[in-house]
Amino acid sequence: MAHTPEGGGLAQRVRAALHRTHGAYADGGDRPLGGYLAAMTAFGAYTAAWATAVRLRGRPLPERPDPWDVALTSVATFRLSRLLSKAAVTSPLRAPFTRYVGPEGPAELHEEARPESGRETVGELMTCPFCTSVWVTSSLTAGLLLAPRATRTAMGALTALAGADALQLGYAALVRKATGED
């Protein structure tokens, strides 16, 4: 490797610059910027892969998104993101990267990312419905472009589930109000 007159190779200088950037950004804290960069890279690769699959199929992209698909994708993304990131039943998927803290709402859990290197970023992604929704929306968009009928069927089921959840919560609130449990 070629060395510079300053006594460090390019890789060493890049590492030093990244270390300085991390220190200045974190302000004494420990932010997993490397993990975030890896997650962004993985997301870019994932999106590029399905975009390539769409292109290889040779079907033209729609001129603009159908408003019904946007609404359906929004509700399905909301429900699937919460199911993946908060539901008690999906906690085994998150357990390698998180620690249980306690219950949080009906059938949902509060978990925290494990601070160990390599687990923190994944744990943050897996416990944040907003973070998870980026991946879910991308996946549903890919589904609409690659297998629209099956994707719309799955999104319809997720939307119905979100509606049923809203009705369950509304009913529980009405019962509490009627029985004076508020």
Side-chain angles (χ1 to χ4, degrees):
M1 176 181 283
H3 290 281
T4 63
E6 295 85 38
L10 178 61
Q12 189 176 13
R13 289 185 307 174
V14 168
R15 275 193 294 278
L18 290 173
H19 184 72
R20 283 190 308 274
T21 299
H22 181 268
Y25 174 80
D27 195 30
D30 187 23
R31 300 302 306 148
L33 293 182
Y36 294 156
L37 183 58
M40 288 174 20
T41 301
F43 182 77
Y46 171 68
T47 304
W50 71 252
T52 300
V54 168
R55 186 171 180 89
L56 290 174
R57 292 222 24 216
R59 292 179 55 199
L61 292 176
E63 177 104 6
R64 68 184 66 78
D66 179 88
W68 178 248
D69 281 341
V70 172
L72 196 60
T73 303
S74 298
V75 178
T77 295
F78 161 78
R79 189 63 200 106
L80 186 54
S81 295
R82 292 209 69 86
L83 180 66
L84 292 172
S85 66
K86 294 290 185 183
V89 72
T90 56
S91 61
L93 300 175
R94 298 183 304 273
F97 308 99
T98 62
R99 286 199 171 83
Y100 174 77
V101 175
E104 182 178 270
E108 291 191 343
L109 303 177
H110 175 71
E111 298 164 322
E112 292 180 350
R114 291 187 187 196
E116 296 95 31
S117 178
R119 293 184 184 205
E120 186 172 18
T121 301
V122 176
E124 284 186 23
L125 175 67
M126 294 182 79
T127 60
C128 171
F130 299 98
C131 304
T132 303
S133 68
V134 173
W135 290 78
V136 169
T137 296
S138 183
S139 298
L140 294 175
T141 300
L144 283 172
L145 294 170
L146 294 168
R149 290 180 70 178
T151 302
R152 284 188 186 99
T153 300
M155 289 192 314
L158 288 163
T159 299
L161 181 58
D165 289 348
L167 291 170
Q168 295 287 0
L169 293 170
Y171 178 80
L174 288 172
V175 168
R176 283 192 307 276
K177 185 173 177 89
T179 59
E181 294 178 24
D182 271 341

PDB file of all heavy atoms in Angstrom, residues 89-117:
ATOM      1  N   VAL A  89     -46.216 -11.636  19.725  1.00  0.00           N
ATOM      2  CA  VAL A  89     -46.073 -12.898  18.992  1.00  0.00           C
ATOM      3  C   VAL A  89     -44.835 -12.919  18.095  1.00  0.00           C
ATOM      4  O   VAL A  89     -44.299 -13.991  17.795  1.00  0.00           O
ATOM      5  CB  VAL A  89     -47.362 -13.213  18.195  1.00  0.00           C
ATOM      6  CG1 VAL A  89     -47.515 -12.279  17.011  1.00  0.00           C
ATOM      7  CG2 VAL A  89     -47.400 -14.659  17.754  1.00  0.00           C
ATOM      8  N   THR A  90     -44.337 -11.765  17.671  1.00  0.00           N
ATOM      9  CA  THR A  90     -43.147 -11.732  16.819  1.00  0.00           C
ATOM     10  C   THR A  90     -41.875 -11.443  17.620  1.00  0.00           C
ATOM     11  O   THR A  90     -40.804 -11.265  17.031  1.00  0.00           O
ATOM     12  CB  THR A  90     -43.296 -10.699  15.684  1.00  0.00           C
ATOM     13  OG1 THR A  90     -43.583  -9.421  16.251  1.00  0.00           O
ATOM     14  CG2 THR A  90     -44.397 -11.107  14.704  1.00  0.00           C
ATOM     15  N   SER A  91     -41.959 -11.427  18.934  1.00  0.00           N
ATOM     16  CA  SER A  91     -40.772 -11.141  19.753  1.00  0.00           C
ATOM     17  C   SER A  91     -39.633 -12.140  19.541  1.00  0.00           C
ATOM     18  O   SER A  91     -38.469 -11.746  19.649  1.00  0.00           O
ATOM     19  CB  SER A  91     -41.138 -11.039  21.233  1.00  0.00           C
ATOM     20  OG  SER A  91     -41.673 -12.241  21.716  1.00  0.00           O
ATOM     21  N   PRO A  92     -39.897 -13.416  19.200  1.00  0.00           N
ATOM     22  CA  PRO A  92     -38.756 -14.309  18.929  1.00  0.00           C
ATOM     23  C   PRO A  92     -37.875 -13.839  17.764  1.00  0.00           C
ATOM     24  O   PRO A  92     -36.680 -14.121  17.751  1.00  0.00           O
ATOM     25  CB  PRO A  92     -39.416 -15.654  18.604  1.00  0.00           C
ATOM     26  CG  PRO A  92     -40.722 -15.617  19.319  1.00  0.00           C
ATOM     27  CD  PRO A  92     -41.159 -14.166  19.232  1.00  0.00           C
ATOM     28  N   LEU A  93     -38.457 -13.111  16.814  1.00  0.00           N
ATOM     29  CA  LEU A  93     -37.656 -12.579  15.704  1.00  0.00           C
ATOM     30  C   LEU A  93     -36.733 -11.467  16.182  1.00  0.00           C
ATOM     31  O   LEU A  93     -35.632 -11.295  15.661  1.00  0.00           O
ATOM     32  CB  LEU A  93     -38.573 -12.019  14.608  1.00  0.00           C
ATOM     33  CG  LEU A  93     -39.553 -12.978  13.953  1.00  0.00           C
ATOM     34  CD1 LEU A  93     -40.459 -12.227  12.993  1.00  0.00           C
ATOM     35  CD2 LEU A  93     -38.808 -14.103  13.250  1.00  0.00           C
ATOM     36  N   ARG A  94     -37.180 -10.709  17.178  1.00  0.00           N
ATOM     37  CA  ARG A  94     -36.406  -9.569  17.680  1.00  0.00           C
ATOM     38  C   ARG A  94     -35.471  -9.941  18.822  1.00  0.00           C
ATOM     39  O   ARG A  94     -34.502  -9.232  19.094  1.00  0.00           O
ATOM     40  CB  ARG A  94     -37.368  -8.466  18.150  1.00  0.00           C
ATOM     41  CG  ARG A  94     -38.261  -7.912  17.055  1.00  0.00           C
ATOM     42  CD  ARG A  94     -39.133  -6.776  17.536  1.00  0.00           C
ATOM     43  NE  ARG A  94     -39.968  -7.089  18.687  1.00  0.00           N
ATOM     44  CZ  ARG A  94     -41.175  -7.638  18.631  1.00  0.00           C
ATOM     45  NH1 ARG A  94     -41.716  -7.930  17.456  1.00  0.00           N
ATOM     46  NH2 ARG A  94     -41.861  -7.880  19.731  1.00  0.00           N
ATOM     47  N   ALA A  95     -35.752 -11.044  19.504  1.00  0.00           N
ATOM     48  CA  ALA A  95     -35.022 -11.415  20.735  1.00  0.00           C
ATOM     49  C   ALA A  95     -33.499 -11.443  20.593  1.00  0.00           C
ATOM     50  O   ALA A  95     -32.810 -11.012  21.524  1.00  0.00           O
ATOM     51  CB  ALA A  95     -35.535 -12.756  21.262  1.00  0.00           C
ATOM     52  N   PRO A  96     -32.923 -11.916  19.500  1.00  0.00           N
ATOM     53  CA  PRO A  96     -31.456 -11.909  19.413  1.00  0.00           C
ATOM     54  C   PRO A  96     -30.845 -10.499  19.417  1.00  0.00           C
ATOM     55  O   PRO A  96     -29.656 -10.349  19.675  1.00  0.00           O
ATOM     56  CB  PRO A  96     -31.166 -12.604  18.078  1.00  0.00           C
ATOM     57  CG  PRO A  96     -32.387 -13.392  17.768  1.00  0.00           C
ATOM     58  CD  PRO A  96     -33.525 -12.610  18.358  1.00  0.00           C
ATOM     59  N   PHE A  97     -31.669  -9.502  19.141  1.00  0.00           N
ATOM     60  CA  PHE A  97     -31.158  -8.140  18.993  1.00  0.00           C
ATOM     61  C   PHE A  97     -31.711  -7.167  20.033  1.00  0.00           C
ATOM     62  O   PHE A  97     -31.350  -6.000  20.046  1.00  0.00           O
ATOM     63  CB  PHE A  97     -31.503  -7.612  17.595  1.00  0.00           C
ATOM     64  CG  PHE A  97     -31.071  -8.545  16.505  1.00  0.00           C
ATOM     65  CD1 PHE A  97     -31.964  -9.416  15.914  1.00  0.00           C
ATOM     66  CD2 PHE A  97     -29.748  -8.571  16.091  1.00  0.00           C
ATOM     67  CE1 PHE A  97     -31.564 -10.292  14.923  1.00  0.00           C
ATOM     68  CE2 PHE A  97     -29.334  -9.440  15.093  1.00  0.00           C
ATOM     69  CZ  PHE A  97     -30.240 -10.310  14.515  1.00  0.00           C
ATOM     70  N   THR A  98     -32.628  -7.629  20.884  1.00  0.00           N
ATOM     71  CA  THR A  98     -33.313  -6.743  21.823  1.00  0.00           C
ATOM     72  C   THR A  98     -33.375  -7.358  23.213  1.00  0.00           C
ATOM     73  O   THR A  98     -33.095  -8.539  23.407  1.00  0.00           O
ATOM     74  CB  THR A  98     -34.760  -6.463  21.360  1.00  0.00           C
ATOM     75  OG1 THR A  98     -35.488  -7.690  21.336  1.00  0.00           O
ATOM     76  CG2 THR A  98     -34.792  -5.825  19.983  1.00  0.00           C
ATOM     77  N   ARG A  99     -33.789  -6.519  24.160  1.00  0.00           N
ATOM     78  CA  ARG A  99     -34.082  -6.963  25.530  1.00  0.00           C
ATOM     79  C   ARG A  99     -35.504  -6.525  25.852  1.00  0.00           C
ATOM     80  O   ARG A  99     -35.900  -5.387  25.577  1.00  0.00           O
ATOM     81  CB  ARG A  99     -33.119  -6.317  26.522  1.00  0.00           C
ATOM     82  CG  ARG A  99     -31.737  -6.909  26.462  1.00  0.00           C
ATOM     83  CD  ARG A  99     -30.960  -6.597  27.748  1.00  0.00           C
ATOM     84  NE  ARG A  99     -29.732  -7.354  27.760  1.00  0.00           N
ATOM     85  CZ  ARG A  99     -28.620  -6.987  27.138  1.00  0.00           C
ATOM     86  NH1 ARG A  99     -28.581  -5.869  26.465  1.00  0.00           N
ATOM     87  NH2 ARG A  99     -27.538  -7.726  27.208  1.00  0.00           N
ATOM     88  N   TYR A 100     -36.241  -7.420  26.472  1.00  0.00           N
ATOM     89  CA  TYR A 100     -37.608  -7.133  26.898  1.00  0.00           C
ATOM     90  C   TYR A 100     -37.582  -6.127  28.042  1.00  0.00           C
ATOM     91  O   TYR A 100     -36.821  -6.273  28.996  1.00  0.00           O
ATOM     92  CB  TYR A 100     -38.274  -8.439  27.345  1.00  0.00           C
ATOM     93  CG  TYR A 100     -39.638  -8.259  27.952  1.00  0.00           C
ATOM     94  CD1 TYR A 100     -40.741  -8.031  27.149  1.00  0.00           C
ATOM     95  CD2 TYR A 100     -39.814  -8.312  29.332  1.00  0.00           C
ATOM     96  CE1 TYR A 100     -41.994  -7.869  27.700  1.00  0.00           C
ATOM     97  CE2 TYR A 100     -41.066  -8.154  29.893  1.00  0.00           C
ATOM     98  CZ  TYR A 100     -42.152  -7.930  29.075  1.00  0.00           C
ATOM     99  OH  TYR A 100     -43.387  -7.768  29.630  1.00  0.00           O
ATOM    100  N   VAL A 101     -38.421  -5.095  27.960  1.00  0.00           N
ATOM    101  CA  VAL A 101     -38.527  -4.095  29.021  1.00  0.00           C
ATOM    102  C   VAL A 101     -39.873  -4.229  29.725  1.00  0.00           C
ATOM    103  O   VAL A 101     -39.953  -4.188  30.940  1.00  0.00           O
ATOM    104  CB  VAL A 101     -38.335  -2.663  28.466  1.00  0.00           C
ATOM    105  CG1 VAL A 101     -38.559  -1.620  29.545  1.00  0.00           C
ATOM    106  CG2 VAL A 101     -36.945  -2.520  27.852  1.00  0.00           C
ATOM    107  N   GLY A 102     -40.950  -4.398  28.956  1.00  0.00           N
ATOM    108  CA  GLY A 102     -42.277  -4.548  29.551  1.00  0.00           C
ATOM    109  C   GLY A 102     -43.355  -4.441  28.493  1.00  0.00           C
ATOM    110  O   GLY A 102     -43.077  -4.248  27.315  1.00  0.00           O
ATOM    111  N   PRO A 103     -44.610  -4.564  28.943  1.00  0.00           N
ATOM    112  CA  PRO A 103     -45.718  -4.413  27.988  1.00  0.00           C
ATOM    113  C   PRO A 103     -45.860  -2.962  27.556  1.00  0.00           C
ATOM    114  O   PRO A 103     -45.437  -2.044  28.261  1.00  0.00           O
ATOM    115  CB  PRO A 103     -46.942  -4.870  28.788  1.00  0.00           C
ATOM    116  CG  PRO A 103     -46.565  -4.710  30.214  1.00  0.00           C
ATOM    117  CD  PRO A 103     -45.073  -4.860  30.293  1.00  0.00           C
ATOM    118  N   GLU A 104     -46.437  -2.784  26.367  1.00  0.00           N
ATOM    119  CA  GLU A 104     -46.638  -1.435  25.837  1.00  0.00           C
ATOM    120  C   GLU A 104     -47.867  -1.460  24.945  1.00  0.00           C
ATOM    121  O   GLU A 104     -47.775  -1.717  23.757  1.00  0.00           O
ATOM    122  CB  GLU A 104     -45.404  -0.992  25.048  1.00  0.00           C
ATOM    123  CG  GLU A 104     -45.492   0.431  24.496  1.00  0.00           C
ATOM    124  CD  GLU A 104     -44.230   0.824  23.769  1.00  0.00           C
ATOM    125  OE1 GLU A 104     -43.329   1.359  24.419  1.00  0.00           O
ATOM    126  OE2 GLU A 104     -44.158   0.566  22.552  1.00  0.00           O
ATOM    127  N   GLY A 105     -49.000  -1.227  25.507  1.00  0.00           N
ATOM    128  CA  GLY A 105     -50.236  -1.235  24.732  1.00  0.00           C
ATOM    129  C   GLY A 105     -50.759  -2.646  24.548  1.00  0.00           C
ATOM    130  O   GLY A 105     -50.096  -3.621  24.896  1.00  0.00           O
ATOM    131  N   PRO A 106     -51.960  -2.743  23.989  1.00  0.00           N
ATOM    132  CA  PRO A 106     -52.579  -4.058  23.795  1.00  0.00           C
ATOM    133  C   PRO A 106     -51.753  -4.970  22.886  1.00  0.00           C
ATOM    134  O   PRO A 106     -51.492  -4.623  21.735  1.00  0.00           O
ATOM    135  CB  PRO A 106     -53.928  -3.734  23.151  1.00  0.00           C
ATOM    136  CG  PRO A 106     -54.175  -2.295  23.480  1.00  0.00           C
ATOM    137  CD  PRO A 106     -52.824  -1.653  23.580  1.00  0.00           C
ATOM    138  N   ALA A 107     -51.313  -6.085  23.424  1.00  0.00           N
ATOM    139  CA  ALA A 107     -50.567  -7.118  22.683  1.00  0.00           C
ATOM    140  C   ALA A 107     -49.253  -6.609  22.099  1.00  0.00           C
ATOM    141  O   ALA A 107     -48.735  -7.178  21.163  1.00  0.00           O
ATOM    142  CB  ALA A 107     -51.437  -7.748  21.602  1.00  0.00           C
ATOM    143  N   GLU A 108     -48.722  -5.525  22.649  1.00  0.00           N
ATOM    144  CA  GLU A 108     -47.453  -4.996  22.178  1.00  0.00           C
ATOM    145  C   GLU A 108     -46.447  -4.953  23.321  1.00  0.00           C
ATOM    146  O   GLU A 108     -46.819  -4.930  24.487  1.00  0.00           O
ATOM    147  CB  GLU A 108     -47.624  -3.600  21.574  1.00  0.00           C
ATOM    148  CG  GLU A 108     -48.396  -3.615  20.276  1.00  0.00           C
ATOM    149  CD  GLU A 108     -48.347  -2.289  19.538  1.00  0.00           C
ATOM    150  OE1 GLU A 108     -48.011  -1.259  20.133  1.00  0.00           O
ATOM    151  OE2 GLU A 108     -48.649  -2.301  18.337  1.00  0.00           O
ATOM    152  N   LEU A 109     -45.176  -4.946  22.937  1.00  0.00           N
ATOM    153  CA  LEU A 109     -44.093  -4.947  23.910  1.00  0.00           C
ATOM    154  C   LEU A 109     -43.199  -3.729  23.741  1.00  0.00           C
ATOM    155  O   LEU A 109     -43.053  -3.208  22.639  1.00  0.00           O
ATOM    156  CB  LEU A 109     -43.225  -6.201  23.726  1.00  0.00           C
ATOM    157  CG  LEU A 109     -43.916  -7.552  23.818  1.00  0.00           C
ATOM    158  CD1 LEU A 109     -42.920  -8.664  23.547  1.00  0.00           C
ATOM    159  CD2 LEU A 109     -44.576  -7.728  25.168  1.00  0.00           C
ATOM    160  N   HIS A 110     -42.593  -3.340  24.852  1.00  0.00           N
ATOM    161  CA  HIS A 110     -41.517  -2.340  24.807  1.00  0.00           C
ATOM    162  C   HIS A 110     -40.220  -3.117  24.948  1.00  0.00           C
ATOM    163  O   HIS A 110     -40.022  -3.837  25.919  1.00  0.00           O
ATOM    164  CB  HIS A 110     -41.662  -1.320  25.933  1.00  0.00           C
ATOM    165  CG  HIS A 110     -40.521  -0.356  25.999  1.00  0.00           C
ATOM    166  ND1 HIS A 110     -40.334   0.621  25.052  1.00  0.00           N
ATOM    167  CD2 HIS A 110     -39.510  -0.246  26.875  1.00  0.00           C
ATOM    168  CE1 HIS A 110     -39.243   1.306  25.359  1.00  0.00           C
ATOM    169  NE2 HIS A 110     -38.724   0.800  26.459  1.00  0.00           N
ATOM    170  N   GLU A 111     -39.365  -3.000  23.954  1.00  0.00           N
ATOM    171  CA  GLU A 111     -38.063  -3.656  23.956  1.00  0.00           C
ATOM    172  C   GLU A 111     -37.006  -2.615  23.631  1.00  0.00           C
ATOM    173  O   GLU A 111     -37.294  -1.610  22.995  1.00  0.00           O
ATOM    174  CB  GLU A 111     -38.020  -4.780  22.913  1.00  0.00           C
ATOM    175  CG  GLU A 111     -39.014  -5.885  23.185  1.00  0.00           C
ATOM    176  CD  GLU A 111     -39.248  -6.784  21.992  1.00  0.00           C
ATOM    177  OE1 GLU A 111     -39.284  -6.263  20.849  1.00  0.00           O
ATOM    178  OE2 GLU A 111     -39.405  -7.975  22.193  1.00  0.00           O
ATOM    179  N   GLU A 112     -35.793  -2.877  24.076  1.00  0.00           N
ATOM    180  CA  GLU A 112     -34.674  -1.996  23.762  1.00  0.00           C
ATOM    181  C   GLU A 112     -33.620  -2.775  23.006  1.00  0.00           C
ATOM    182  O   GLU A 112     -33.422  -3.970  23.248  1.00  0.00           O
ATOM    183  CB  GLU A 112     -34.076  -1.423  25.046  1.00  0.00           C
ATOM    184  CG  GLU A 112     -35.016  -0.471  25.750  1.00  0.00           C
ATOM    185  CD  GLU A 112     -34.426   0.093  27.021  1.00  0.00           C
ATOM    186  OE1 GLU A 112     -33.359  -0.390  27.475  1.00  0.00           O
ATOM    187  OE2 GLU A 112     -35.045   1.011  27.577  1.00  0.00           O
ATOM    188  N   ALA A 113     -32.946  -2.076  22.118  1.00  0.00           N
ATOM    189  CA  ALA A 113     -31.869  -2.691  21.347  1.00  0.00           C
ATOM    190  C   ALA A 113     -30.740  -3.088  22.284  1.00  0.00           C
ATOM    191  O   ALA A 113     -30.418  -2.365  23.222  1.00  0.00           O
ATOM    192  CB  ALA A 113     -31.363  -1.722  20.290  1.00  0.00           C
ATOM    193  N   ARG A 114     -30.155  -4.251  22.031  1.00  0.00           N
ATOM    194  CA  ARG A 114     -28.977  -4.662  22.795  1.00  0.00           C
ATOM    195  C   ARG A 114     -27.804  -3.782  22.385  1.00  0.00           C
ATOM    196  O   ARG A 114     -27.602  -3.538  21.203  1.00  0.00           O
ATOM    197  CB  ARG A 114     -28.637  -6.126  22.527  1.00  0.00           C
ATOM    198  CG  ARG A 114     -29.656  -7.063  23.095  1.00  0.00           C
ATOM    199  CD  ARG A 114     -29.167  -8.468  22.938  1.00  0.00           C
ATOM    200  NE  ARG A 114     -30.204  -9.401  23.336  1.00  0.00           N
ATOM    201  CZ  ARG A 114     -29.977 -10.658  23.588  1.00  0.00           C
ATOM    202  NH1 ARG A 114     -28.760 -11.156  23.467  1.00  0.00           N
ATOM    203  NH2 ARG A 114     -30.965 -11.447  23.944  1.00  0.00           N
ATOM    204  N   PRO A 115     -27.025  -3.330  23.350  1.00  0.00           N
ATOM    205  CA  PRO A 115     -25.941  -2.402  23.014  1.00  0.00           C
ATOM    206  C   PRO A 115     -24.707  -3.064  22.404  1.00  0.00           C
ATOM    207  O   PRO A 115     -23.794  -2.365  21.999  1.00  0.00           O
ATOM    208  CB  PRO A 115     -25.595  -1.772  24.372  1.00  0.00           C
ATOM    209  CG  PRO A 115     -25.979  -2.801  25.382  1.00  0.00           C
ATOM    210  CD  PRO A 115     -27.166  -3.516  24.795  1.00  0.00           C
ATOM    211  N   GLU A 116     -24.677  -4.389  22.305  1.00  0.00           N
ATOM    212  CA  GLU A 116     -23.500  -5.048  21.755  1.00  0.00           C
ATOM    213  C   GLU A 116     -23.287  -4.651  20.302  1.00  0.00           C
ATOM    214  O   GLU A 116     -24.232  -4.461  19.554  1.00  0.00           O
ATOM    215  CB  GLU A 116     -23.628  -6.581  21.824  1.00  0.00           C
ATOM    216  CG  GLU A 116     -23.689  -7.138  23.224  1.00  0.00           C
ATOM    217  CD  GLU A 116     -25.116  -7.358  23.713  1.00  0.00           C
ATOM    218  OE1 GLU A 116     -25.996  -7.649  22.888  1.00  0.00           O
ATOM    219  OE2 GLU A 116     -25.341  -7.214  24.926  1.00  0.00           O
ATOM    220  N   SER A 117     -22.039  -4.557  19.922  1.00  0.00           N
ATOM    221  CA  SER A 117     -21.680  -4.200  18.556  1.00  0.00           C
ATOM    222  C   SER A 117     -22.324  -5.177  17.576  1.00  0.00           C
ATOM    223  O   SER A 117     -22.296  -6.382  17.776  1.00  0.00           O
ATOM    224  CB  SER A 117     -20.156  -4.239  18.401  1.00  0.00           C
ATOM    225  OG  SER A 117     -19.803  -3.940  17.075  1.00  0.00           O
TER     226      SER A 117
END
